[in-house]
Amino acid sequence: MTQTAAAPPAIELVGIDKSFGQVHANRDINLAVAAGSIHGIIGENGAGKSTLMSILYGFYQADRGDILIGGQKTVIRDSAAAIAAGIGMVHQHFMLVENFTVLENVMLGAEGGATLARGTAAAREELKRIEREYGLDVDPDAVIEELPVGRQQRVEILKALFRGAEILILDEPTGVLTPAEADHLFRILKVLKEQGKTVILITHKLREIMAITDTVSVMRRGELVATRRTAETTVEELAELMVGRRVLLRVDKGPAAPREVRLGVENLTVRDGRGVTMVDDVSFAVRAGEIVGIAGVAGNGQSELLEAIAGIRRPASGTITLGGKSVGGLDPAALRRRGLAHVPEDRHHMGLVLPFEENENAILGYHGAPEYCRGPFLSLDAMRRDAKAKIEKYDIRPPNCRLRTANFSGGNQQKIVLAREIERDPDVLIIGQPTRGVDIGAIEFIHRRIVEMRDAGKAILLVSVELDEIRALADRILVMFAGRVVGEERPDCGEQTLGMMMAGVSGGQGASA
Amino acid sequence: MEAFDTLVLILASTMRLTVPLLLAALAGLYSERAGVFDIGLEGKMLAGAFAAGATAAVTGSAWAGLGMAVVVAVALSLVHGFASITHRGNQIVSGVAINFVAAGLTALLGQAWFQQGGRTPQVSGDARFSPIVLPFTEEIAAVPILGPVYRSLLSGQNLLTWIAFLAVPLSFYVLYRTRFGLRLRAVGENPAAVDTAGISVTWLRYRAVIICGVLTGLAGTYLAIAQSANFVKDMSAGKGYIALAALIFAKWKPVPVMFACLLFGFLDAVAIRLQGTPVPFIGTVPVQIFQALPYVLTVILLAGFIGTAVPPKAGGVPYTKER
């Protein structure tokens, strides 16, 4: 015991400071992580977590401050130096060559000689050993692009361990994982810890911090505002530290008062470009004054369902009705005129044109509306006046309607899309992933807006892969699996029940995920 | 027997016409596999041809010509690298600029230095790469089939032809069996993966464009002082573009690149052979039809027969570390 107490921390940061021009990304950061522990770093987007880790991995140099690895002052000039110091990193976007095999990816940069022949055999042996030791379960000869994301992530972990990493940094590792894959990852992290490795977990999900870490540090606006032992803190305290004020984690809403059916979907079947059936004979209805949530692991047909309802994808069969009238075959613009608003799942791809100015995106899709036009021309004055009003109402920051949309944070971009769709006062609102990549503070705001819409008597269809979000917002939950609606539950049903249904284990049909 | 002789002649001509395509296509292979698109193969080949022709004419040494051609082509490659790797410029714009500069400058300098309308003086003897006659050529010349094939196809090829064809297995080995090759392929697909593995993306890509320069220099040398005996204005005549077509056709793989170049060389040989001679049942075919065939074939085959050619994923995209 005295030995461990005397051991220097695996990693220690002393007075790290970093600015990018005007932006002070990291301010005087002091942090010590004990060897053989799992340390969480939590904070909103733009709080400086990623910058700090990039400094540790040699992507940037700190302007001031020291890094101590195992008590030794270490200068990390580039990634090679970080690897040599025993630091491995699992990036949010995997650093894998997709058409290479697992083995080739692991060897890249650690080939063991100018030709590959000898190194390959040795690497294969070493890979097998690491795989067994940590229960990673990856085939060395599999090609990356054919692996599911969860396995690709394990290849990233393999890569780090193959290079002899003692300290493993994971940047938002669960963002792309299914709940089951995330659980598997946490088991692996626990094994790593038992083997004496140090793990640093960067995330904005409070639940993960509580579930797996030993200690946790909170970052806010470039500063490290607190470090706690996980056992001695609460979700509420961490959330407050992150945002800097009290946050309502539960959504406050009264019971729903559903009225007539506004959106009807009957026997809808949708196929994708390859002819694969993605939505299979789905029927449901959304009434005025209620929120219907669609839960499910990503890729089970929710996206195609949304696109079909929004008029982007033509269904193979079935009918869609809006206010009792069939709207099959109408394009998105026509649907919009009939009171359907759509907040797409992927705001970068479908919701916004990132190089446009904020005020341009704020009317996109409604740019033909008379209030924004003067004859055949756009009225820039009207657009900007309108954009300013929305910026104020939705607290979009920075409050500058001439700024390129790409320069807004994820949460503010989402607010731009929401403001655009909600302020047209639609009868039916369909929303995909309302808070993907959005900060806690903004999540609270967006959730409140959605509930207000419901209380104003709108019909709302909500698709999210975040089970917590569905449970918090929806009045009824439909679960999709393999293109079918496999069940309907009330939001107060157990998470276990929903989880089983999402995995395809329900109602006696024993399909496995 | 006459048909056989014609065939051997066409095949021999195919070999000669394939060499510059093959060298240029392999040059493009290294560059593009590393993620640097190179539409400037044409210009580098042309500049290399001029450098080889001019140097050989002045010094009387083919080797000096070769050396100068490589130096000039590598220099242009480095310009391309500086624009597209260091300064993250548009690779197509940079490549096109190199083509224009090469076309204009070779003609201008050729006229200024030699006053022969942009040509360089005719050279002969040691100032050219002459055919290497293999042993026993005459002894077995009388043997049917084997004799003419040996004499026309294998014997009598010059050094650069041998280099070009030996470069194919060598490139295969480098690309798939060496550390450099693994990294080269990786940097063309996902430079961030290479960067985070602690390898310099910049240096890796520069090495790829340097190899590209060396090979286009060889291609130019072949045009000026192996296939011909002097540099002629615009003598690359679109071969750099055909090489690019071959590269796409072969999906950026060394051995298929050789076959694609042989196919295009063959079409070229047939076109030359059929120039002015009537084709049975059809009559005289305009030579332009045959000259267009490589391009037409590439489009048709890519459109339906060999599936889509997926270029290196990071091709054409300058690497910027994410913020």
PDB file of all heavy atoms in Angstrom, chain B residues 189-206:
ATOM      1  N   GLU B 189      -4.892   6.701 -48.578  1.00  0.00           N
ATOM      2  CA  GLU B 189      -6.238   6.346 -48.138  1.00  0.00           C
ATOM      3  C   GLU B 189      -6.665   7.186 -46.946  1.00  0.00           C
ATOM      4  O   GLU B 189      -7.776   7.684 -46.893  1.00  0.00           O
ATOM      5  CB  GLU B 189      -6.288   4.855 -47.737  1.00  0.00           C
ATOM      6  CG  GLU B 189      -6.188   3.911 -48.912  1.00  0.00           C
ATOM      7  CD  GLU B 189      -7.436   3.922 -49.788  1.00  0.00           C
ATOM      8  OE1 GLU B 189      -8.540   4.148 -49.258  1.00  0.00           O
ATOM      9  OE2 GLU B 189      -7.308   3.715 -50.999  1.00  0.00           O
ATOM     10  N   ASN B 190      -5.813   7.285 -45.952  1.00  0.00           N
ATOM     11  CA  ASN B 190      -6.156   8.029 -44.747  1.00  0.00           C
ATOM     12  C   ASN B 190      -4.893   8.623 -44.115  1.00  0.00           C
ATOM     13  O   ASN B 190      -4.273   8.001 -43.256  1.00  0.00           O
ATOM     14  CB  ASN B 190      -6.869   7.104 -43.755  1.00  0.00           C
ATOM     15  CG  ASN B 190      -7.364   7.862 -42.543  1.00  0.00           C
ATOM     16  OD1 ASN B 190      -7.117   9.064 -42.412  1.00  0.00           O
ATOM     17  ND2 ASN B 190      -8.046   7.171 -41.655  1.00  0.00           N
ATOM     18  N   PRO B 191      -4.512   9.817 -44.569  1.00  0.00           N
ATOM     19  CA  PRO B 191      -3.278  10.411 -44.065  1.00  0.00           C
ATOM     20  C   PRO B 191      -3.299  10.628 -42.550  1.00  0.00           C
ATOM     21  O   PRO B 191      -2.243  10.571 -41.908  1.00  0.00           O
ATOM     22  CB  PRO B 191      -3.174  11.736 -44.820  1.00  0.00           C
ATOM     23  CG  PRO B 191      -4.499  11.962 -45.446  1.00  0.00           C
ATOM     24  CD  PRO B 191      -5.159  10.635 -45.605  1.00  0.00           C
ATOM     25  N   ALA B 192      -4.485  10.831 -41.987  1.00  0.00           N
ATOM     26  CA  ALA B 192      -4.553  11.049 -40.533  1.00  0.00           C
ATOM     27  C   ALA B 192      -4.084   9.797 -39.794  1.00  0.00           C
ATOM     28  O   ALA B 192      -3.447   9.891 -38.741  1.00  0.00           O
ATOM     29  CB  ALA B 192      -5.974  11.419 -40.123  1.00  0.00           C
ATOM     30  N   ALA B 193      -4.377   8.618 -40.343  1.00  0.00           N
ATOM     31  CA  ALA B 193      -3.934   7.381 -39.711  1.00  0.00           C
ATOM     32  C   ALA B 193      -2.416   7.305 -39.712  1.00  0.00           C
ATOM     33  O   ALA B 193      -1.789   6.851 -38.753  1.00  0.00           O
ATOM     34  CB  ALA B 193      -4.522   6.174 -40.442  1.00  0.00           C
ATOM     35  N   VAL B 194      -1.818   7.776 -40.810  1.00  0.00           N
ATOM     36  CA  VAL B 194      -0.361   7.768 -40.909  1.00  0.00           C
ATOM     37  C   VAL B 194       0.233   8.769 -39.924  1.00  0.00           C
ATOM     38  O   VAL B 194       1.197   8.475 -39.215  1.00  0.00           O
ATOM     39  CB  VAL B 194       0.051   8.104 -42.359  1.00  0.00           C
ATOM     40  CG1 VAL B 194       1.540   8.331 -42.462  1.00  0.00           C
ATOM     41  CG2 VAL B 194      -0.387   6.979 -43.287  1.00  0.00           C
ATOM     42  N   ASP B 195      -0.382   9.927 -39.878  1.00  0.00           N
ATOM     43  CA  ASP B 195       0.100  10.986 -38.997  1.00  0.00           C
ATOM     44  C   ASP B 195       0.058  10.543 -37.533  1.00  0.00           C
ATOM     45  O   ASP B 195       1.028  10.687 -36.789  1.00  0.00           O
ATOM     46  CB  ASP B 195      -0.763  12.242 -39.207  1.00  0.00           C
ATOM     47  CG  ASP B 195      -0.134  13.478 -38.586  1.00  0.00           C
ATOM     48  OD1 ASP B 195       1.066  13.403 -38.242  1.00  0.00           O
ATOM     49  OD2 ASP B 195      -0.831  14.485 -38.437  1.00  0.00           O
ATOM     50  N   THR B 196      -1.079   9.970 -37.123  1.00  0.00           N
ATOM     51  CA  THR B 196      -1.197   9.570 -35.722  1.00  0.00           C
ATOM     52  C   THR B 196      -0.352   8.354 -35.392  1.00  0.00           C
ATOM     53  O   THR B 196      -0.144   8.044 -34.234  1.00  0.00           O
ATOM     54  CB  THR B 196      -2.660   9.244 -35.345  1.00  0.00           C
ATOM     55  OG1 THR B 196      -3.166   8.319 -36.304  1.00  0.00           O
ATOM     56  CG2 THR B 196      -3.513  10.479 -35.332  1.00  0.00           C
ATOM     57  N   ALA B 197       0.122   7.642 -36.433  1.00  0.00           N
ATOM     58  CA  ALA B 197       1.042   6.533 -36.168  1.00  0.00           C
ATOM     59  C   ALA B 197       2.463   7.054 -36.004  1.00  0.00           C
ATOM     60  O   ALA B 197       3.401   6.272 -35.876  1.00  0.00           O
ATOM     61  CB  ALA B 197       0.967   5.517 -37.305  1.00  0.00           C
ATOM     62  N   GLY B 198       2.628   8.372 -36.029  1.00  0.00           N
ATOM     63  CA  GLY B 198       3.941   8.967 -35.803  1.00  0.00           C
ATOM     64  C   GLY B 198       4.804   9.034 -37.050  1.00  0.00           C
ATOM     65  O   GLY B 198       6.023   9.093 -36.975  1.00  0.00           O
ATOM     66  N   ILE B 199       4.170   9.007 -38.244  1.00  0.00           N
ATOM     67  CA  ILE B 199       4.909   9.061 -39.500  1.00  0.00           C
ATOM     68  C   ILE B 199       4.601  10.396 -40.173  1.00  0.00           C
ATOM     69  O   ILE B 199       3.465  10.847 -40.167  1.00  0.00           O
ATOM     70  CB  ILE B 199       4.473   7.912 -40.433  1.00  0.00           C
ATOM     71  CG1 ILE B 199       4.584   6.572 -39.711  1.00  0.00           C
ATOM     72  CG2 ILE B 199       5.301   7.903 -41.703  1.00  0.00           C
ATOM     73  CD1 ILE B 199       3.795   5.462 -40.379  1.00  0.00           C
ATOM     74  N   SER B 200       5.622  10.997 -40.793  1.00  0.00           N
ATOM     75  CA  SER B 200       5.415  12.292 -41.441  1.00  0.00           C
ATOM     76  C   SER B 200       4.696  12.113 -42.775  1.00  0.00           C
ATOM     77  O   SER B 200       5.209  11.471 -43.693  1.00  0.00           O
ATOM     78  CB  SER B 200       6.749  12.995 -41.664  1.00  0.00           C
ATOM     79  OG  SER B 200       6.596  14.028 -42.610  1.00  0.00           O
ATOM     80  N   VAL B 201       3.509  12.694 -42.869  1.00  0.00           N
ATOM     81  CA  VAL B 201       2.729  12.632 -44.112  1.00  0.00           C
ATOM     82  C   VAL B 201       3.464  13.384 -45.217  1.00  0.00           C
ATOM     83  O   VAL B 201       3.566  12.925 -46.354  1.00  0.00           O
ATOM     84  CB  VAL B 201       1.330  13.241 -43.881  1.00  0.00           C
ATOM     85  CG1 VAL B 201       0.578  13.397 -45.191  1.00  0.00           C
ATOM     86  CG2 VAL B 201       0.537  12.385 -42.917  1.00  0.00           C
ATOM     87  N   THR B 202       3.995  14.554 -44.856  1.00  0.00           N
ATOM     88  CA  THR B 202       4.655  15.408 -45.839  1.00  0.00           C
ATOM     89  C   THR B 202       5.844  14.713 -46.495  1.00  0.00           C
ATOM     90  O   THR B 202       5.957  14.642 -47.716  1.00  0.00           O
ATOM     91  CB  THR B 202       5.134  16.697 -45.145  1.00  0.00           C
ATOM     92  OG1 THR B 202       4.020  17.269 -44.468  1.00  0.00           O
ATOM     93  CG2 THR B 202       5.683  17.678 -46.131  1.00  0.00           C
ATOM     94  N   TRP B 203       6.713  14.161 -45.694  1.00  0.00           N
ATOM     95  CA  TRP B 203       7.927  13.536 -46.218  1.00  0.00           C
ATOM     96  C   TRP B 203       7.582  12.309 -47.059  1.00  0.00           C
ATOM     97  O   TRP B 203       8.151  12.057 -48.107  1.00  0.00           O
ATOM     98  CB  TRP B 203       8.843  13.191 -45.038  1.00  0.00           C
ATOM     99  CG  TRP B 203      10.075  12.368 -45.323  1.00  0.00           C
ATOM    100  CD1 TRP B 203      10.539  11.337 -44.566  1.00  0.00           C
ATOM    101  CD2 TRP B 203      11.012  12.511 -46.394  1.00  0.00           C
ATOM    102  NE1 TRP B 203      11.689  10.827 -45.116  1.00  0.00           N
ATOM    103  CE2 TRP B 203      12.010  11.532 -46.239  1.00  0.00           C
ATOM    104  CE3 TRP B 203      11.104  13.366 -47.506  1.00  0.00           C
ATOM    105  CZ2 TRP B 203      13.072  11.367 -47.120  1.00  0.00           C
ATOM    106  CZ3 TRP B 203      12.164  13.208 -48.396  1.00  0.00           C
ATOM    107  CH2 TRP B 203      13.136  12.224 -48.192  1.00  0.00           C
ATOM    108  N   LEU B 204       6.576  11.572 -46.613  1.00  0.00           N
ATOM    109  CA  LEU B 204       6.148  10.384 -47.351  1.00  0.00           C
ATOM    110  C   LEU B 204       5.631  10.782 -48.737  1.00  0.00           C
ATOM    111  O   LEU B 204       5.979  10.192 -49.760  1.00  0.00           O
ATOM    112  CB  LEU B 204       5.045   9.694 -46.550  1.00  0.00           C
ATOM    113  CG  LEU B 204       4.712   8.233 -46.826  1.00  0.00           C
ATOM    114  CD1 LEU B 204       5.953   7.370 -46.856  1.00  0.00           C
ATOM    115  CD2 LEU B 204       3.747   7.729 -45.760  1.00  0.00           C
ATOM    116  N   ARG B 205       4.819  11.830 -48.773  1.00  0.00           N
ATOM    117  CA  ARG B 205       4.256  12.257 -50.062  1.00  0.00           C
ATOM    118  C   ARG B 205       5.331  12.853 -50.951  1.00  0.00           C
ATOM    119  O   ARG B 205       5.305  12.677 -52.162  1.00  0.00           O
ATOM    120  CB  ARG B 205       3.119  13.258 -49.820  1.00  0.00           C
ATOM    121  CG  ARG B 205       1.892  12.573 -49.271  1.00  0.00           C
ATOM    122  CD  ARG B 205       0.672  13.451 -49.301  1.00  0.00           C
ATOM    123  NE  ARG B 205      -0.529  12.634 -49.145  1.00  0.00           N
ATOM    124  CZ  ARG B 205      -1.732  13.126 -48.856  1.00  0.00           C
ATOM    125  NH1 ARG B 205      -1.888  14.407 -48.701  1.00  0.00           N
ATOM    126  NH2 ARG B 205      -2.762  12.320 -48.735  1.00  0.00           N
ATOM    127  N   TYR B 206       6.292  13.567 -50.347  1.00  0.00           N
ATOM    128  CA  TYR B 206       7.377  14.107 -51.163  1.00  0.00           C
ATOM    129  C   TYR B 206       8.181  12.978 -51.807  1.00  0.00           C
ATOM    130  O   TYR B 206       8.559  13.041 -52.967  1.00  0.00           O
ATOM    131  CB  TYR B 206       8.302  15.006 -50.333  1.00  0.00           C
ATOM    132  CG  TYR B 206       7.924  16.469 -50.453  1.00  0.00           C
ATOM    133  CD1 TYR B 206       7.322  17.152 -49.418  1.00  0.00           C
ATOM    134  CD2 TYR B 206       8.157  17.147 -51.645  1.00  0.00           C
ATOM    135  CE1 TYR B 206       6.967  18.479 -49.546  1.00  0.00           C
ATOM    136  CE2 TYR B 206       7.807  18.479 -51.789  1.00  0.00           C
ATOM    137  CZ  TYR B 206       7.210  19.140 -50.733  1.00  0.00           C
ATOM    138  OH  TYR B 206       6.851  20.449 -50.877  1.00  0.00           O
TER     139      TYR B 206
END
